[in-house]
Amino acid sequence: MIVLTVLSGVLAGCGGSEGTRARTAALPTASREPVQGGASSSPVPESEPPVPARGPGGLTPVFAGRAHGSAAGGADKVVALTFDADMTADQGPRAAAGEHFDNPALIASLRRLKVPSTVFMTGRWAQEYPVQARAIGNDPLFEIANHSFSHYAFSSPCYGLPTVAEAEMRGDVERAFTAIRRTGARHVVPYFRFPGGCYDDAALKALAPAGVTAVQWDVVSGDAFATDADAVAEQVLDGVKPGSLVVMHCTRSAAPVTDDAVRRIVPELRERGYRFVKVSELMHG
């Protein structure tokens, strides 16, 4: 296991499933197509992506993976790998200077390994890399979820991130959906991940009218700012249980060893009998 730094917390969230509560919402629509790639691919439900029932007080629901139960016969041995495509609203000059917030090699590996995945994308990332966003969002192997437009915090303190005003939270999320859909991406699901994983009841209340389900995790990969792919892989392999939801990243500059780690994680989990699914299938149960 590796120790997460404060910097990694900005990308990897608030130390795992801290503060997670089960609540709910409605949603924008998402088209569904069967995943290509044989028995190792995730079956996709024909219905719209599932959303939990609205929680106490009508707050936005929070989902962090299935309850860990018996995996007799491997029936429950599913795991969702999720990847945050982070870029904050003020990082345009850094991208213009040559910093890479994308990771095409990682996406290529997921395709080659036939791993159904959910990419949590900021609106600013979609604006910077519209061709990649469209390709990811039109590949039935993937689904795109919302990671805010700005990648600013929705509660404070949150690892030094600037904070979105409560009155602007819903607009920030809707602006991200707009930016993602403008790329031509079609497989867009009504799920939202709080930047840094930080939220409170005020944020859940503010987002309820946006019709999203907040998605956290129960396994932190530790890939943010990591330089040792084996350490990242070990952290995931040690943490995964049937029904787990893993948070990783799709940003070369801030998570440079994720591709290498994934190429070890995937075959080892498959050897253990795990099947990879998107968040929508994990939520579907």
Side-chain angles (χ1 to χ4, degrees), residues 23-61:
R23 325 252 184 177
T24 195
L27 65 151
T29 58
S31 61
R32 314 297 300 162
E33 294 179 12
V35 174
Q36 304 299 317
S40 62
S41 297
S42 161
V44 178
E46 294 295 326
S47 58
E48 293 295 331
V51 289
R54 192 172 291 272
L59 300 182
T60 296

Side-chain angles (χ1 to χ4, degrees), residues 152-221:
Y152 291 170
F154 281 61
S155 68
S156 184
C158 186
Y159 305 103
L161 289 172
T163 305
V164 179
E166 189 175 327
E168 298 172 1
M169 291 178 180
R170 176 183 177 183
D172 188 86
V173 171
E174 291 175 344
R175 185 182 179 193
F177 275 127
T178 297
I180 292 165
R181 287 200 175 91
R182 279 179 176 164
T183 68
R186 294 181 296 116
H187 298 285
V188 182
V189 290
Y191 307 146
F192 172 73
R193 175 164 287 162
F194 286 100
C198 306
Y199 69 94
D200 54 21
D201 281 354
L204 295 178
K205 181 178 180 180
L207 292 189
V212 293
T213 296
V215 176
Q216 296 286 91
W217 52 82
D218 67 307
V219 178
V220 177
S221 69

Side-chain angles (χ1 to χ4, degrees), residues 25-238:
L27 65 151
T29 58
S31 61
R32 314 297 300 162
E33 294 179 12
V35 174
Q36 304 299 317
S40 62
S41 297
S42 161
V44 178
E46 294 295 326
S47 58
E48 293 295 331
V51 289
R54 192 172 291 272
L59 300 182
T60 296
V62 181
F63 178 77
R66 291 186 197 169
H68 302 314
S70 169
D76 297 323
K77 296 188 84 169
V78 293
V79 58
L81 298 186
T82 68
F83 299 89
D84 292 357
D86 294 339
M87 186 173 179
T88 62
D90 57 1
Q91 287 178 331
R94 288 167 56 179
E99 185 169 347
H100 293 283
F101 296 92
D102 61 341
N103 194 340
L106 169 63
I107 298 299
S109 291
L110 293 170
R111 286 186 171 122
R112 184 171 59 255
L113 293 166
K114 298 181 174 63
V115 181
S117 309
T118 303
V119 177
F120 286 84
M121 189 177 292
T122 67
R124 184 64 189 86
W125 194 100
Q127 286 183 339
E128 189 69 27
Y129 304 106
V131 174
Q132 291 186 56
R134 181 170 62 251
I136 293 168
N138 290 341
D139 186 335
L141 195 64
F142 302 113
E143 62 189 11
I144 295 179
N146 191 313
H147 196 31
S148 80
F149 180 84
S150 62
H151 201 258
Y152 291 170
F154 281 61
S155 68
S156 184
C158 186
Y159 305 103
L161 289 172
T163 305
V164 179
E166 189 175 327
E168 298 172 1
M169 291 178 180
R170 176 183 177 183
D172 188 86
V173 171
E174 291 175 344
R175 185 182 179 193
F177 275 127
T178 297
I180 292 165
R181 287 200 175 91
R182 279 179 176 164
T183 68
R186 294 181 296 116
H187 298 285
V188 182
V189 290
Y191 307 146
F192 172 73
R193 175 164 287 162
F194 286 100
C198 306
Y199 69 94
D200 54 21
D201 281 354
L204 295 178
K205 181 178 180 180
L207 292 189
V212 293
T213 296
V215 176
Q216 296 286 91
W217 52 82
D218 67 307
V219 178
V220 177
S221 69
D223 66 337
F225 304 103
T227 56
D228 185 341
D230 285 334
V232 172
E234 288 293 342
Q235 182 146 316
V236 173
L237 293 168
D238 287 347

Side-chain angles (χ1 to χ4, degrees), residues 4 8-16 84 159 194-198 217 220 247 249:
L4 298 179
S8 70
V10 174
L11 290 176
C14 296
D84 292 357
Y159 305 103
F194 286 100
C198 306
W217 52 82
V220 177
V247 59
H249 294 86

